[in-house]
Amino acid sequence: VVTISAGGVPLYEDRSGEPFVIAREGLVFPAQRMQEGWIEVLTSCDALAWVRASDVAAEPPVASADIGDGFDFSAAAIVLDPGHGGPWNIGAAGPSGLSEKHMNLDVALRVRDLLSESRSVDWISGEILNGDGIPAAGRVLVTRVGDAETADYEAGLFFRSRLANAINAHAMVSIHHNAGWEIRLDEPGSDVYYQSQIQESRRFARIMVEELQRSFVDFDADWVGNAETGAKSRLSPREGNPQYYGILRYSEMPTVIAEGAYISNQSEADLIATAEFRQAYADAIYRALVRFLTTEDVGGGRDTDPVIWNGDAGSGDARPECVIPSQADG
């Protein structure tokens, strides 16, 4: 994984040509290969580019390790993926205009902050406390880098997945807020999508569903959802029935897509707009990551077997107009 150094770094389409952008400091790209002092990277726009090796900080993949009982959380490599981003891929919107892409990022940064220091968890109440019961995670990457303004850029699905693959992550969470509900419910209708091709992903999803329910149960809302809620997996109707969602298809480690609440439902959108609810969402993701990586817990969340899905969730591929964040733009 390559990190752009302070002051920004030139990216080149051709090593003998001129740079096409001064990439913003702090951006992370998966490295593809190294050649004569240059590194070829996959940019956030799903395109290849060259960077001088001397201009960047390059880190090798973390060591492989078996997760479960005895796993050292301080060695964990975790990728947080705030879904959507940029001027075109905005995600869903609340009835009053609340933007999903911004809410996804806010939750992701809250999870990052939880993972950055040692914590303790009251597993009865779910409260996350200051303490040394759980060490800080060893490596945490966020696929869109920056704060609320600077991290609002487009990132393609290949880039998101390959970044996680490049660091050899132990787990990846793509964070979203849902739309398109079918029925009204008496409890939160949180959905978590898992990879059918990676068995541990389903366990991860079951745990995540359980922790989302724990975090949201005390909030008051007119909850909505689908007839089948919980951990689920959608397969493409194409030949071979691969995973429908690209982030689950391309990622090589246990990955889930969390759809915590329905931003398209005004009652839930009002909750999502509050810092208290978004922190509860982040708390759930943190607890799920700890349980998934450090125990053999199978989770108690409801789950269903994979099904072929003929719907249309749109494309997450980077558009031709995709722009890599530049140092000049801050």
Side-chain angles (χ1 to χ4, degrees):
V1 173
V2 165
T3 302
I4 300 300
S5 301
V9 169
L11 294 186
Y12 300 79
E13 291 181 356
D14 189 307
R15 287 175 292 167
S16 62
E18 295 295 318
F20 65 91
V21 67
I22 306 299
R24 195 184 74 215
E25 61 184 60
L27 294 178
V28 288
F29 300 132
Q32 305 299 295
R33 58 176 171 154
M34 188 169 184
Q35 194 171 83
E36 299 176 350
W38 293 78
I39 300 176
E40 188 180 43
V41 300
L42 182 71
T43 72
S44 50
C45 290
D46 282 347
L48 295 174
W50 290 94
V51 62
R52 288 189 177 90
S54 58
D55 287 345
V56 298
E59 296 180 76
V62 301
S64 296
D66 293 332
I67 62 173
D69 291 341
F71 178 77
D72 181 1
F73 199 71
S74 69
I78 295 167
V79 175
L80 305 173
D81 174 47
H84 308 290
W88 304 284
N89 190 358
I90 62 174
S96 300
L98 191 65
S99 172
E100 183 194 356
K101 63 177 181 178
H102 296 309
M103 299 300 99
N104 297 344
L105 176 64
D106 182 271
V107 174
L109 296 182
R110 292 172 185 273
V111 181
R112 179 203 63 188
D113 291 346
L114 287 170
L115 291 166
S116 68
E117 297 182 11
S118 60
R119 311 281 177 182
S120 292
V121 176
D122 181 335
W123 291 107
I124 301 300
S125 68
E127 184 179 5
I128 298 172
L129 308 164
N130 293 328
D132 57 6
I134 302 161
R139 188 81 166 94
V140 180
L141 292 182
V142 182
T143 56
R144 289 197 277 130
V145 177
D147 58 21
E149 284 190 26
T150 58
D152 183 19
Y153 59 87
E154 186 171 10
L157 288 178
F158 287 112
F159 164 78
R160 296 170 190 258
S161 297
R162 287 188 186 176
L163 184 64
N165 295 343
I167 199 174
N168 197 28
H170 297 101
M172 181 178 186
V173 183
S174 190
I175 300 167
H176 291 257
H177 290 80
N178 221 338
W181 54 276
E182 298 172 345
I183 59 175
R184 297 196 175 276
L185 299 171
D186 294 329
E187 60 184 15
S190 304
D191 286 332
V192 180
Y193 293 92
Y194 64 86
Q195 302 152 297
S196 60
Q197 77 275 21
I198 297 180
Q199 184 176 2
E200 283 288 83
S201 176
R202 186 167 184 169
R203 181 174 76 89
F204 191 12
R206 284 171 55 90
I207 293 172
M208 185 72 71
V209 168
E210 189 174 17
E211 290 299 343
L212 289 169
Q213 291 286 329
R214 187 211 298 252
S215 268
F216 297 161
V217 67
D218 290 333
F219 288 92
D220 185 26
D222 297 324
W223 302 108
V224 298
N226 294 311
E228 295 286 346
T229 62
K232 56 180 68 174
S233 186
R234 287 175 171 173
L235 306 180
S236 169
R238 296 198 303 270
E239 183 178 356
N241 303 128
Q243 282 294 302
Y244 179 86
Y245 294 111
I247 200 80
L248 300 181
R249 187 163 65 249
Y250 304 134
S251 299
E252 297 171 355
M253 75 295 305
T255 301
V256 296
I257 299 173
E259 299 272 8
Y262 278 80
I263 199 169
S264 60
N265 172 26
Q266 185 66 68
S267 179
E268 293 180 55
D270 290 343
L271 281 180
I272 294 167
T274 68
E276 181 183 10
F277 186 83
R278 296 195 303 274
Q279 186 62 52
Y281 193 169
D283 289 352
I285 294 173
Y286 175 80
R287 291 192 303 265
L289 282 164
V290 172
R291 286 177 62 191
F292 172 65
L293 291 175
T294 65
T295 76
E296 305 293 333
D297 195 339
V298 298
R302 178 181 179 183
D303 69 340
T304 55
D305 292 336
V307 296
I308 295 174
W309 196 62
N310 290 291
D312 181 12
S315 172
D317 295 340
R319 296 173 183 251
E321 302 90 346
C322 179
V323 175
I324 297 168
S326 73
Q327 187 69 16
D329 296 331

